[in-house]
Structures are given as C-alpha cells and as structure tokens.
Amino acid sequence: MNKKLFTQIKNEWRSNLWLVTELLLVSVVMWYIVDYMYVKAMVYNEPRGFDISHCYLVQMGRLTDKSPDFIPNQTEEEKRQDIKDLLERLQHRPDVEAAGFGQNSYPYNGSNSGADVRYDTLQSPGWVIRRYVSPDFVRVFRYRGTRGETPEQLAELLKHPKNFLASDNMYQVRYGQDLTSLVGKPFYLSGDTTATFNLAASLQVVRYSDYQQAYNSYCMVKLLPDDWYDLGLELCIRVKEDQDNDFITRLKDDSEKLYRVGNVFIADVRSFTDIRRNFQQSVTNSLRSYLFGMGFLLLNIFLGLLGTFWFRTQQRRGEIALMKSLGGTDHSVFVRQLVEGLLLLIVATIPAIFIDWNLANAELNAWMDGSTFGLGRFCITILISFVLIALMILVGIWIPARKAMRVQPAEALHDE
C-alpha cells in the first residue's frame, strides 16, 4: 500500500504541488494565529500576585461648613486622626477580614508613581511602581513573599518604617539577579543616598494588570508616612467570604451612624470586580475584536481546506469504487485517503517551519506585551497548528469519502 501510495502521489505531482503550496500558506498563517492566542492565554493566566476577591474600595469625603454637623477649626493632626479612626472602626467591623490604606497602590488603578530601588551597583528598571501603604494593605490583597511569607507576616514586617518589600524580579531581566538572595540587605530608594532601607521580604511578582506580563511588572512597597493621611488615600477592604452578600448596601446603611468620624464620612463603595472590568474594558474590547477577526479567518481556512479535500475526494469516486471491488474495506479506503492528505501536510510543514522560525526570530510577535521568543513556545505552537490543520483535513476527507463509499462499485464505475 505504501509503495502504491507514494507512486500515486508522484504521478499526480502537478495537482499535489498546488495543494502543498496551499497547505504551506495555511500553515504559516495558522501558526501566527495560534502563536498570538497562545501568548495572550499564557499572559492572562500568569499568577497575578494579588487577590481581589471579596475586596472593595471605599471613597471618603469630608463635610463642608454648609453641613449642620460640620466641626470647624480642626487642626491637620485632628484631620489625619479622623481618617485613622475610620480605618480602625472598619477593621473591627465583624464582617471585615482586613482593611488598609494605599497611595496609588490598589490593583487596576492606572498608577504611574515611580521609584528607584538600588543596591550596590544594581539599579532597578525605569518603571517600578511605588506603593506606599498601611501594613494591613498587603493582607487585603494577599501579597505573599518568595520565601513563604504570609500576608500577615508581611504586614508585621511593614510596620517598621525602615523596612520595604519589592518584586523578586526587580533585577532579573537586567542582571539575572533575584531579590530573594538580597533579603536583609540595605538599599537606597528614590535616589536618596543619605539613608538606607532594609529589604524585609522579596515579593512574588505583583502584576500591573491581567494583560501585562509578570516579567516586566515591578513594584516596591513601603510604609505610608504618618503625615500622608488625607482624603486622597485609597481605603481598601476585604470582607470575609461568607459575608460578601450585599456588603455595599449594608456598609452604606451603617455609614452615617457608625462610620462618620469628625468631618470624615464614607462617600461611596465600589467592588474591585467592577474596578477591574472598567479599567481593562478598552483592552478587553480590542482583544475581543482581534480574536473575533482571527476566529473568522480560521473559519475561512477551515472552509477552504474542506472544499479542497471535498472536491479532491469526490473526483476519486471511481478510484474508491475500484478499490472496494478489489476487496478493500471502508476503513482501508478511508485510511489511504487520510494518509495521503497527512503526507502532503507533512511535506508542506517542513518549509513552513523554516518560515515560522525566521518570523519568530525576527520578533514578529514581540510587541505582544513584551513576549519573547522561545524554543518551547515555538514547538508547542507548531504542534498545535499541525494538529488543527490535520483535523481540518480529516473532516474534509471523512465527509465526502463516507458518502462516496456508500455508492455501489458498479454504479460508480459506470458513471466514470
């Protein structure tokens, strides 16, 4: 059978050449689509380094002198103390697990506050998110250390004003150095060489958003200065899992009676699920449109291959009938047709791999969230592309072949 099959492929080289050319073009296009989707899926599913489940953002407000409850002539210290007291009251609320303040620090906030983190000759990249927080902030979003530090342990470490936390990958890309080995060492922050700060723990990477890769997401976390307590802070809350239902409504109902401290009151409460969705809406819509276009292209590729192999198989009704009249079974006939199609695909895949390799090394897809080319990724996407095209060929041969095999050999030969 093998010898006859190769002989037949050789004898039909003209038609097969056109088919191999078509499969070559399809393979290259398919690889690009698969590679794009693979990168996006891998980036999206990377560990985020934080957890926003059951978390809420509380917006604070301050009474004006037009309110009958307004307290005049408060000092700056009294104003700061009111904000601290509000936080403390929320921390003692029965359905609250943790509450903390941050300054441009919560996830999905679009912060562009930067910092410089330097150790000896090692200098951080130019984009390091600076997060000034109260200790329990890391408990709200469940940050974790690379050496197994829990959010509670990290919160304790942050209580010391000379301690700070930072992403483990801070020096990884530029120097190949992880921060875990530097825990306990003195660092300079934000260009100030007059004082050093102790790296209390190295953080598991905290990503900027769901669409930014972990490898270029950097941050440093430090204790919020006492004189920074004002209405511009972000008050973030994590509620207990069994207390999540209608929390916003319940908190608002209690806010006037329990959570107005001095002139400070709770103005609004938002779920981080909504914040996440709104922050990424434009990127999500763009990605959805792109994937829809690729899905449409895949459908066209499938229909094109289906039509090609359908027509090719239909033309061989007489050949199929002859094979059956000589003792061939439906299974053997189908396998022969399928093996021929797969052999042509293998022939087309060889030059396609060469083209894909050069496109990958030319960083055709390097703009996708800073994704980098790797042999493992390349092999996986090539294999997925091959399997998808093979499945299209299978369907394109199976449907018409099954129909052709139902025709009686004598009838098919008579038509020929």
Side-chain angles (χ1 to χ4, degrees):
M1 174 181 174
N2 291 339
K3 185 176 180 180
K4 291 181 179 179
L5 181 58
F6 283 114
T7 301
Q8 182 178 1
I9 292 176
K10 180 180 178 181
N11 292 336
E12 298 177 351
W13 68 271
R14 293 181 185 275
S15 60
N16 287 334
L17 180 61
W18 284 107
L19 184 55
V20 168
T21 303
E22 179 183 353
L23 290 172
L24 171 63
L25 295 174
V26 166
S27 295
V28 174
V29 174
M30 181 70 77
W31 171 81
Y32 175 80
I33 294 174
V34 169
D35 185 67
Y36 179 87
M37 292 183 172
Y38 176 83
V39 169
K40 288 297 182 183
M42 293 300 292
V43 168
Y44 188 84
N45 289 300
E46 279 186 302
R48 290 173 174 81
F50 59 85
D51 180 6
I52 64 167
S53 60
H54 315 295
C55 290
Y56 297 85
L57 176 66
V58 177
Q59 181 179 345
M60 298 177 292
R62 181 172 277 126
L63 298 176
T64 65
D65 56 7
K66 296 181 181 180
S67 171
D69 298 320
F70 176 72
I71 302 175
N73 304 319
Q74 278 191 314
T75 65
E76 290 302 315
E77 179 57 33
E78 288 174 333
K79 292 178 181 179
R80 287 195 292 268
Q81 189 58 49
D82 287 344
I83 293 173
K84 293 177 182 179
D85 289 345
L86 173 59
L87 174 63
E88 185 175 352
R89 290 189 187 186
L90 287 170
Q91 288 173 331
H92 287 90
R93 184 180 171 94
D95 52 2
V96 169
E97 180 178 315
F101 281 125
Q103 201 266 342
N104 287 334
S105 300
Y106 70 81
Y108 311 111
N109 74 345
S111 168
N112 58 0
S113 300
D116 176 51
V117 180
R118 186 158 61 86
Y119 172 76
D120 196 14
T121 59
L122 305 180
Q123 189 169 1
S124 60
W127 186 256
V128 177
I129 299 298
R130 183 193 67 191
R131 292 186 168 98
Y132 281 105
V133 303
S134 65
D136 277 355
F137 183 91
V138 295
R139 292 183 57 219
V140 173
F141 296 107
R142 293 182 175 174
Y143 286 14
R144 292 190 177 273
T146 56
R147 300 193 300 181
E149 295 94 340
T150 65
E152 289 74 20
Q153 291 171 328
L154 293 177
E156 283 297 318
L157 293 173
L158 265 182
K159 290 180 179 179
H160 196 291
K162 280 293 186 177
N163 283 349
F164 78 102
L165 316 173
S167 303
D168 188 55
N169 64 337
M170 184 80 69
Y171 302 137
Q172 193 69 52
V173 175
R174 185 178 294 181
Y175 305 104
Q177 172 75 57
D178 61 74
L179 277 191
T180 303
S181 60
L182 300 178
V183 171
K185 303 291 185 180
F187 283 71
Y188 296 111
L189 301 181
S190 298
D192 182 5
T193 58
T194 62
T196 60
F197 295 86
N198 176 61
L199 178 63
S202 177
L203 292 175
Q204 295 180 13
V205 178
V206 179
R207 291 168 60 192
Y208 188 68
S209 72
D210 296 351
Y211 299 112
Q212 179 170 333
Q213 283 183 294
Y215 95 101
N216 61 0
S217 295
Y218 316 106
C219 77
M220 61 83 69
V221 182
K222 195 175 179 299
L223 182 65
L224 185 70
D226 191 68
D227 57 355
W228 284 26
Y229 279 77
D230 57 38
L231 293 182
L233 294 179
E234 306 141 356
L235 175 49
C236 302
I237 293 175
R238 169 177 290 276
V239 303
K240 298 173 182 177
E241 292 186 14
D242 58 348
Q243 297 293 325
D244 208 11
N245 190 35
D246 295 329
F247 173 75
I248 293 178
T249 301
R250 287 186 279 116
L251 181 59
K252 286 183 176 180
D253 290 341
D254 295 339
S255 62
E256 182 63 27
K257 180 175 60 175
L258 301 176
Y259 302 111
R260 185 162 64 81
V261 185
N263 290 325
V264 178
F265 64 94
I266 293 177
D268 193 20
V269 185
R270 298 173 61 198
S271 165
F272 268 95
T273 301
D274 295 335
I275 293 172
R276 171 177 177 260
R277 182 180 60 252
N278 293 337
F279 178 75
Q280 300 184 148
Q281 192 66 56
S282 60
V283 180
T284 301
N285 289 341
S286 176
L287 181 61
R288 186 179 292 122
S289 299
Y290 205 94
L291 293 178
F292 179 80
M294 287 189 164
F296 182 73
L297 182 58
L298 282 176
L299 177 61
N300 280 273
I301 290 174
F302 169 72
L303 293 177
L305 287 178
L306 177 65
T308 298
F309 281 94
W310 190 305
F311 179 74
R312 182 183 177 89
T313 305
Q314 282 290 95
Q315 281 189 316
R316 293 181 168 181
R317 290 176 72 244
E319 179 184 330
I320 293 173
L322 181 60
M323 291 173 62
K324 292 191 67 176
S325 66
L326 294 176
T329 63
D330 289 350
H331 180 265
S332 64
V333 171
F334 172 72
V335 169
R336 180 186 175 92
Q337 302 296 318
L338 179 61
V339 169
E340 181 184 3
L342 293 179
L343 284 174
L344 294 176
L345 175 59
I346 291 173
V347 171
T349 299
I350 295 173
I353 291 176
F354 176 77
I355 295 173
D356 296 341
W357 178 268
N358 282 276
L359 292 175
N361 277 288
E363 297 185 344
L364 178 66
N365 292 336
W367 57 272
M368 294 184 296
D369 297 307
S371 61
T372 53
F373 171 71
L375 182 60
R377 166 185 152 195
F378 182 76
C379 292
I380 291 173
T381 52
I382 285 292
L383 180 60
I384 294 174
S385 302
F386 182 87
V387 171
L388 287 176
I389 298 175
L391 289 175
M392 293 178 183
I393 291 174
L394 172 64
V395 175
I397 292 175
W398 178 71
I399 297 176
R402 184 182 179 188
K403 185 177 180 181
M405 286 183 290
R406 289 176 179 174
V407 180
Q408 294 298 320
E411 178 183 345
L413 293 171
H414 179 268
D415 291 340
E416 291 293 324

